[in-house]
Amino acid sequence: GVVACRPQDLAVPVREGGLEALSEEDLWRDVDQFSRGLHDRGPGGQDEEQAVERMKQRLQEMRTLPAFGRDYRSRKGSGPWRICARKEGQSGRAVVWVALDSGTGVKGGALPRAVLISLAKIWDTYKTPPQALLFCALAAEGGLEDYLASPAHPLAETDRLITFGPLGDGELIRSESSASGIPVTHFRTPAEDAGTDEDRMESVDYRKVLPHVRALYHTGLEE
């Protein structure tokens, strides 16, 4: 007879992605990674390169691939570091999620970075998405323009850019625009305290952030 065994009992790796993998604990941990000790993540800031390395490591743990050739990182001259990861899709088209980091604070950047990692975790499954997926962390000031000037995926084959930041636990606000002929959907929450001394990880209700992550995910599936 055939004895049924669980995959984990046979040492077969089981991916744990999907929407059900989202958790407030993951968001808290990743916010902690990008806020404690990294108070100046902006372009040229003393913590910029360390923040880039931490983001690279976390995206690697989500089993993504480097988006800039063989590297997750890219910069032009002394400009800001850009970091992008990718998941290969069934077609050459792409959707790009972009976390915008102002360089300081939780809502101003640490939380958008954490949300980006959670989006990559959703896609950490054996299922191949219909198009390529890119997960990028850019400077809030000028980062998107810099990306468009030297993208990780050809703009002619990019269906949508989904940018977000600042983000907190308030009402999610969606706006539509375009850049280089590509539809851009931007998400933000009211965050008057972003970058101030009050912008701390303890001030965020992470349970209320999870629906924001789901909204960002579903936007990437829109036609």
Side-chain angles (χ1 to χ4, degrees):
V2 177
V3 178
C5 297
R6 300 181 304 169
Q8 51 266 46
D9 293 335
L10 298 174
V12 176
V14 178
R15 298 288 177 90
E16 298 180 351
L19 285 171
E20 63 276 7
L22 291 177
S23 73
E24 58 190 274
E25 292 80 13
D26 280 347
L27 288 171
W28 172 278
R29 183 189 63 247
D30 285 318
V31 167
D32 183 61
Q33 284 284 311
F34 293 107
S35 57
R36 293 188 189 276
L38 297 181
H39 304 297
D40 187 8
R41 302 180 303 268
Q46 61 181 0
D47 302 317
E48 181 187 13
E49 293 197 25
Q50 189 175 357
V52 168
E53 286 302 312
R54 289 188 185 181
M55 177 61 79
K56 172 185 173 181
Q57 179 181 349
R58 288 296 287 134
L59 290 173
Q60 284 177 320
E61 291 169 357
M62 297 303 106
R63 288 180 276 238
T64 60
L65 298 172
F68 295 110
R70 296 183 178 181
D71 205 339
Y72 287 84
R73 305 160 302 168
S74 174
R75 75 188 305 181
K76 295 189 297 182
S78 59
W81 279 105
R82 307 175 302 162
I83 183 162
C84 290
R86 68 181 293 122
K87 291 276 189 179
E88 298 296 350
Q90 299 174 21
S91 75
R93 311 297 300 178
V95 171
V96 185
W97 280 282
V98 178
L100 298 174
D101 187 353
S102 65
T104 60
V106 169
K107 298 174 185 176
L111 185 51
R113 284 176 179 261
V115 167
L116 185 73
I117 294 166
S118 288
L119 287 167
K121 183 175 184 178
I122 292 173
W123 287 102
D124 184 17
T125 69
Y126 287 113
K127 182 179 179 181
T128 302
Q131 65 266 81
L133 307 175
L134 277 78
F135 308 91
C136 298
L138 307 176
E141 185 67 32
L144 182 59
E145 292 78 5
D146 182 56
Y147 175 88
L148 292 171
S150 181
H153 191 88
L155 298 182
E157 298 174 4
T158 300
D159 289 333
R160 183 189 294 269
L161 290 160
I162 304 167
T163 61
F164 48 97
L167 281 181
D169 53 16
E171 178 187 2
L172 192 63
I173 301 169
R174 172 174 175 160
S175 59
E176 305 287 345
S177 62
S178 65
S180 299
I182 302 170
V184 179
T185 302
H186 181 67
F187 289 94
R188 60 180 297 273
T189 62
E192 292 79 5
D193 60 345
T196 70
D197 291 340
E198 301 302 315
D199 186 11
R200 303 187 304 271
M201 60 183 298
E202 295 83 3
S203 67
V204 177
D205 185 343
Y206 295 90
R207 293 171 298 177
K208 295 181 179 180
V209 179
L210 291 178
H212 300 347
V213 183
R214 296 187 184 98
L216 287 163
Y217 164 77
H218 285 298
T219 302
L221 301 178
E222 293 176 1
E223 295 292 336

